[in-house]
Amino acid sequence: MDVLLHYFDKVDWADIWVATGDTMLMLSTSLLFTVLVGLPLGILLFLFSPRQLLEQKATYGVLAFIVNAIRSLPFIILLIVMIPTTIFITGTSLGVAGAIPPLVVGASTFFARLVETALREVDRGIIEATQAMGATTRQIIVKALLPEAKPGIIAAITVTAIALVGYTAMAGVVGAGGLGDLAIRYGYQRFQDDVMVVTVIMLIVLVQILQTIGDKLVTHYSRK
Amino acid sequence: MIEFQNVHKTYRVDGRDIPALHPTSLRVENGQVFGLIGHSGAGKSTLLRLINRLEEPSGGQITVDGEEVTALDANGLRRFRQQVGMIFQHFNLLASKTVADNVALPLTLAGEMSRKAIDQRVAELLARVGLSDHAKKYPAQLSGGQKQRVGIARALATKPKILLCDEATSALDPQTTASVLQLLAEINRELKLTIVLITHEMDVIRRVCDQVAVMDAGVIVEQGSVADVFLHPKHPTTKRFVQEADQIDESEQRDDFAHVPGRIVRLTFQGEATYAPLLGTVARETGVDYSILAGRIDRIKDIPYGQLTLAITGGDMEAAFARFTAADVHMEVLR
């Protein structure tokens, strides 16, 4: 019992809180930009895809290829490949700021595909009905497709947020800190398994919270 | 008036041209309920969607009240579509919006009315279709018949001149079908709305339509007033639809009558003739005897009709036949 009680004695809690803060900062900022970039990208993928409103084989082919190419890269590689671009955008390739651009690029392509799928789930009859009312393509998207796909898009944001938690663990490579980085440096490299256990628990709690919020919102907006 | 001149439609599938509608000319007068009947794949759905150009014609000309629909640009087409309501087999309501918001959608899309005016119009429409108490519900909370009523209210929101019905009752049970058809007939009568509907059920045609066109393999094979087409079908496809509606199998019936003595005739009464005491009078005056082998007294929309299959024996048979023909009754000698 004593062993258990004193197991966490040597953990530096200040480090843990700083790391948690970094993770939360990276997560919230990158999730925000991921949605801002990925949602329009997903809508475009949907619209240009075969048999959809703005069917454009060539444009769809190019977009799909770029999205697939980015998604082929393991995040850790993307992080390094993007260093020059990251410096151009944020002025630094280090720290939390240095981690955001690769996080956004990696996650928004993933998110865009989920948005495309969510839009494809909307009954074609809905599009036909709004077309028959004389709606413009823009109105069809804003007034019909997005409201109908809202639960699916919220679920996509949840999945993306959780994937981002995983990505942030690798952002330690560029010195961005965060819980994952702490776990690797202390737990793995310094054999401080107590720190590892604490960070793992924090990550589990974080993911559970994200999933619960996401599920609640999906239920709230589902009318089926 | 809706007018088709040599309109045709061909789909290109895997490099091959599949004709969905062969060159067709057609005219639907204002205020009519025009029915298109055909089996699935007959081209009726394509024809319906050509009217508001949800399908683009491969050739030909479509005009509505003198306006050439086939010549409209994107903006003109959007304005035109606001004057054409449409309802669907699977209702196509937005699950994310309430009943009231669904009905309001065409009005908010048109963007010409204030929120207050829209709310008032929606309330009127819901009252017309009998759903005032359901305004705040979501489509998932409604029955099929109620959903179609929302669809109808939505289609009427912009006060269209034309209502297109795409198998509007095919997903409904017979009782609900009857009430939805009644609502459509009411709307046609009170709003002087032209209705074009497609269906694969002759019964739907019989209940609400004035004119009917029968389609088979992308061609209109028979067309005319519902009473004419229904009572005197000519094309094999039409005959099949009528028999399905009557639930009789003619060849089977012939076998049943094999042992019946005398001549067999089929009399078709229409309108007031249906109620005239013709059979008794003729039997008395010409001395023939008759027995009724099969029969049906019903209505086609508002017109009563009767169709009786009789076996006639004895008396002056020729005189009896002459009397039937003279009495404005259509007679077919079956044997």
Side-chain angles (χ1 to χ4, degrees):
Chain A
M1 198 64 199
D2 264 12
V3 180
L4 262 182
L5 276 175
H6 297 288
Y7 181 71
F8 295 115
D9 279 358
K10 286 192 214 108
V11 173
D12 183 345
W13 290 97
D15 274 356
I16 299 282
W17 293 126
V18 169
T20 307
D22 284 347
T23 293
M24 295 303 287
L25 182 62
M26 275 190 284
L27 179 63
S28 51
T29 317
S30 57
L31 186 62
L32 174 70
F33 285 103
T34 295
V35 172
L36 288 179
V37 174
L39 188 61
L41 183 59
I43 293 171
L44 288 180
L45 277 170
F46 170 76
L47 291 175
F48 291 146
S49 64
R51 286 188 298 283
Q52 296 299 343
L53 285 169
L54 304 176
E55 179 173 356
Q56 289 258 349
K57 276 206 180 94
T59 319
Y60 182 74
V62 171
L63 267 184
F65 177 79
I66 295 171
V67 167
N68 290 349
I70 293 173
R71 292 194 54 204
S72 317
L73 296 182
F75 181 67
I76 189 93
I77 310 286
L78 185 68
L79 200 63
I80 294 157
V81 171
M82 274 193 57
I83 285 176
T85 323
T86 306
I87 293 175
F88 178 76
I89 296 171
T90 64
T92 174
S93 69
L94 300 176
V96 171
I100 303 285
L103 282 172
V104 171
V105 169
S108 56
T109 47
F110 172 65
F111 178 60
R113 283 296 194 187
L114 295 179
V115 169
E116 185 191 359
T117 312
L119 291 172
R120 208 166 275 165
E121 291 288 306
V122 176
D123 191 341
R124 281 197 74 86
I126 299 281
I127 299 178
E128 193 179 38
T130 35
Q131 271 178 325
M133 289 173 206
T136 60
T137 304
R138 190 193 164 81
Q139 285 179 319
I140 294 173
I141 297 164
V142 176
K143 302 273 185 183
L145 280 175
L146 289 179
E148 288 295 285
K150 202 193 252 173
I153 291 173
I154 293 171
I157 294 176
T158 310
V159 172
T160 307
I162 290 168
L164 272 169
V165 172
Y167 290 173
T168 59
M170 289 173 251
V173 173
V174 293
L179 287 167
D181 176 50
L182 199 67
I184 293 167
R185 282 192 292 119
Y186 286 75
Y188 178 64
Q189 289 164 350
R190 294 191 200 168
F191 304 105
Q192 288 189 7
D193 47 349
D194 50 351
V195 177
M196 174 93 95
V197 169
V198 172
T199 56
V200 167
I201 291 172
M202 297 296 273
L203 286 170
I204 290 174
V205 170
L206 179 59
V207 169
Q208 294 295 336
I209 290 173
L210 288 171
Q211 188 67 54
T212 309
I213 294 173
D215 289 347
K216 282 247 155 67
L217 287 172
V218 170
T219 314
H220 179 76
Y221 286 109
S222 291
R223 305 293 183 197
K224 290 204 169 138
Chain B
M1 190 172 68
I2 305 168
E3 210 171 355
F4 275 49
Q5 276 169 3
N6 286 317
V7 177
H8 58 99
K9 171 76 186 181
T10 308
Y11 292 102
R12 213 170 163 76
V13 183
D14 299 330
R16 284 197 313 141
D17 285 335
I18 313 279
L21 184 71
H22 293 284
T24 297
S25 296
L26 182 76
R27 179 193 281 227
V28 180
E29 302 292 340
N30 281 343
Q32 255 182 5
V33 183
F34 190 96
L36 279 163
I37 187 166
H39 293 290
S40 52
K44 55 191 193 305
S45 176
T46 302
L47 200 157
L48 188 79
R49 283 167 170 70
L50 284 166
I51 297 174
N52 61 355
R53 273 177 57 190
L54 283 178
E55 295 279 4
E56 291 291 344
S58 308
Q61 202 182 52
I62 302 168
T63 51
V64 171
D65 290 339
E67 190 177 26
E68 195 185 333
V69 179
T70 29
L72 292 172
D73 62 3
N75 260 320
L77 182 61
R78 276 198 295 275
R79 266 196 304 278
F80 169 73
R81 282 175 175 170
Q82 288 169 13
Q83 298 160 29
V84 181
M86 190 164 184
I87 58 174
F88 304 86
Q89 179 174 8
H90 298 294
F91 324 121
N92 296 352
L93 302 175
L94 273 72
S96 59
K97 293 191 191 293
T98 62
V99 166
D101 287 342
N102 265 290
V103 177
L105 188 61
L107 299 171
T108 49
L109 290 178
E112 285 158 4
M113 286 166 78
S114 69
R115 188 68 237 181
K116 207 177 149 197
I118 290 177
D119 288 344
Q120 198 184 341
R121 176 100 184 106
V122 169
E124 275 169 34
L125 288 159
L126 288 179
R128 169 170 280 285
V129 300
L131 288 177
S132 297
D133 298 340
H134 302 274
K136 296 232 160 57
K137 287 191 180 165
Y138 287 90
Q141 294 166 279
L142 303 179
S143 69
Q146 289 171 326
K147 282 183 201 168
Q148 196 56 289
R149 282 165 184 274
V150 177
I152 292 171
R154 181 177 71 176
L156 296 179
T158 50
K159 301 193 174 169
K161 304 178 289 187
I162 299 171
L163 178 64
L164 307 178
C165 308
D166 176 16
E167 296 273 5
T169 57
S170 299
L172 304 175
D173 62 62
Q175 209 181 341
T176 318
T177 296
S179 80
V180 167
L181 290 178
Q182 204 183 343
L183 177 63
L184 288 178
E186 218 174 274
I187 288 165
N188 163 253
R189 212 166 37 236
E190 289 168 22
L191 305 179
K192 309 268 179 277
L193 197 71
T194 309
I195 298 182
V196 181
L197 65 83
I198 62 175
T199 182
H200 58 267
E201 292 169 298
M202 201 62 189
D203 206 44
V204 170
I205 301 281
R206 188 170 65 81
R207 279 168 196 262
V208 289
C209 294
D210 302 304
Q211 290 278 314
V212 61
V214 184
M215 291 195 73
D216 189 34
V219 178
I220 294 182
V221 293
E222 192 164 350
Q223 191 184 339
S225 81
V226 174
D228 282 348
V229 173
F230 195 78
L231 296 175
H232 313 297
K234 292 183 186 72
H235 191 273
T237 309
T238 319
K239 288 186 177 161
R240 221 165 31 239
F241 275 120
V242 172
Q243 282 169 23
E244 273 167 31
D246 286 345
Q247 291 172 332
I248 50 164
D249 186 332
E250 207 146 276
S251 57
E252 204 173 279
Q253 216 176 43
R254 286 233 165 90
D255 294 344
D256 288 349
F257 301 156
H259 62 279
V260 179
R263 306 286 300 268
I264 295 180
V265 295
R266 180 158 59 209
L267 301 180
T268 307
F269 308 80
Q270 239 185 90
E272 282 313 303
T274 313
Y275 302 128
L278 185 68
L279 288 184
T281 316
V282 172
R284 246 188 338 271
E285 288 172 11
T286 61
V288 295
D289 257 326
Y290 64 88
S291 60
I292 298 173
L293 303 177
R296 178 190 180 100
I297 311 286
D298 214 330
R299 281 170 174 275
I300 294 174
K301 204 173 182 189
D302 303 317
I303 306 166
Y305 78 94
Q307 200 158 46
L308 299 176
T309 308
L310 305 175
I312 298 186
T313 49
D316 187 350
M317 221 172 273
E318 291 311 315
F321 287 0
R323 286 275 290 140
F324 286 139
T325 317
D328 208 14
V329 169
H330 181 87
M331 188 181 72
E332 263 177 286
V333 179
L334 300 181
R335 191 182 75 194

